[in-house]
Amino acid sequence: MELMRTLPYDSIGISAICSKAGLSRKTFSRYFSSKDDVVVSQLGADTTERVGLLLPVATWADIDHSSEILLESVYSRIYEHRDYYCEICRHFGSFWLAEQLFVLAARLGDAPYKDDVIPADELDFAISIFNGVNAIALKWWFDEGLKTPPKKLAQLIVKWGYAGLQENAPQA
């Protein structure tokens, strides 16, 4: 992120990343196969890792509110680093970024849905739909220039993308 404040993505080499991070090339290679892997890792830290930390406190009692909190947390982090992510979108395209988010979210597996009453034979579909809604929303957000504030984006996703979740929530 720091290097991209002054250099375009194509101008940044692995040596520069290693130097900035205080790593040897060998240590870098242990964790990443390319600088693209670093981008995906940062996206994971800003999105799915945050979700993983917040999931234990999310409740079905107020799924709309819990979903908004989770999404706002993720989108606030991306918004905070919007110059970095806008440069990534310029380089790879917003669809690439959305695809990466979809792949990263899928790594959470069924953990976000463990307390749901989703039938086992429909779980993969539900995971794909929820992750897809977020990926598409992220693509739209970047395409519109991140004009919508993170909180409003989270509200829109819950309102239009997760309609009907309450119907499937366990009843008290």
Side-chain angles (χ1 to χ4, degrees):
M1 284 186 181
E2 287 183 33
L3 290 168
M4 286 179 58
R5 287 186 188 131
T6 58
L7 298 168
Y9 184 78
D10 287 332
S11 298
I12 300 170
I14 292 174
S15 297
I17 295 170
C18 291
S19 177
K20 190 72 169 170
L23 299 173
S24 70
R25 181 85 182 224
K26 185 177 180 179
T27 300
F28 178 93
S29 297
R30 225 181 269 142
Y31 297 97
F32 307 104
S33 61
S34 67
K35 69 180 182 179
D36 296 356
D37 285 352
V38 176
V39 172
V40 172
S41 179
Q42 183 63 51
L43 181 61
D46 287 342
T47 59
T48 54
E49 287 178 23
R50 295 176 73 79
V51 169
L53 292 171
L54 293 171
L55 273 175
V57 296
T59 66
W60 272 111
D62 188 359
I63 189 62
D64 289 350
H65 185 66
S66 291
S67 296
E68 281 183 29
I69 290 169
L70 288 168
L71 293 171
E72 184 181 354
S73 172
V74 167
Y75 293 133
S76 291
R77 181 72 176 169
I78 290 172
Y79 191 79
E80 179 183 333
H81 299 291
R82 63 188 165 277
D83 293 340
Y84 168 78
Y85 284 111
C86 285
E87 177 61 24
I88 292 303
C89 283
R90 277 191 287 280
H91 180 76
F92 292 107
S94 58
F95 189 73
W96 177 90
L97 192 64
E99 280 184 303
Q100 294 306 313
L101 179 66
F102 186 87
V103 169
L104 287 165
R107 289 184 190 165
L108 288 171
D110 63 359
Y113 315 98
K114 67 178 174 42
D115 295 330
D116 297 357
V117 290
I118 300 171
D121 63 335
E122 296 176 11
L123 187 58
D124 283 345
F125 179 76
I127 292 170
S128 295
I129 291 296
F130 294 150
N131 293 343
V133 165
N134 288 310
I136 290 166
L138 184 65
K139 181 189 181 321
W140 171 82
W141 196 36
F142 274 94
D143 288 349
E144 64 117 28
L146 292 102
K147 292 177 187 163
T148 302
K151 183 174 186 69
K152 179 67 175 176
L153 180 62
Q155 290 169 342
L156 289 172
I157 291 169
V158 169
K159 179 179 180 179
W160 297 108
Y162 294 161
L165 277 181
Q166 286 287 16
E167 296 168 14
N168 294 315
Q171 301 301 312

